[in-house]
Amino acid sequence: MAQFECTFPSAYSFDDILQYFHAHLTKNHGEYTGGSDYASGRVRVAVRVYERYSVMGDNYLSLTVTLVNDGGDTFASAISALGFVWCFAQTCLRE
């Protein structure tokens, strides 16, 4: 697992940051697999999940991106996770 966190100054809009991440992650062979948005007053939260298959590792890699904004700066968190190919996981579970 790897984790990246940063804060974007309020000069960058929440929507522009979200679009930036989406455009760059899907451009580099990532597939958008789902997401969720929440807003209450000035607070906005967006969660996006991307996935890609790794031929070298014969497994799936997942990246979850979360953005949070309260009307000022935008906090961004990206956490990656490694998955198993189902048949490999079944073999490991039997041993």
Side-chain angles (χ1 to χ4, degrees), residues 1 15 34 47 59 62 65 83-84:
M1 180 183 94
D15 292 321
V47 178
N59 56 25
S62 175
V65 176
F84 292 100

Side-chain angles (χ1 to χ4, degrees), residues 7-87:
T7 301
F8 291 88
S10 59
Y12 297 96
S13 80
F14 184 87
D15 292 321
D16 288 345
I17 297 167
L18 186 60
Q19 179 56 33
Y20 174 84
F21 276 109
H22 181 77
H24 283 78
L25 291 170
T26 55
K27 175 183 174 185
N28 294 314
H29 309 291
E31 180 182 338
Y32 173 71
T33 57
S36 178
D37 295 301
Y38 174 78
S40 178
R42 294 179 359 162
V43 175
R44 290 181 66 186
V45 178
V47 178
R48 299 292 184 267
V49 180
Y50 299 89
E51 185 176 84
R52 77 176 180 89
Y53 179 72
S54 171
V55 176
M56 287 180 55
D58 194 28
N59 56 25
Y60 285 90
L61 305 171
S62 175
L63 180 71
T64 302
V65 176
T66 303
L67 299 180
V68 180
N69 181 284
D70 65 355
D73 296 343
T74 299
F75 174 76
S77 175
I79 300 173
S80 67
L82 177 66
F84 292 100
V85 171
W86 179 247
C87 62

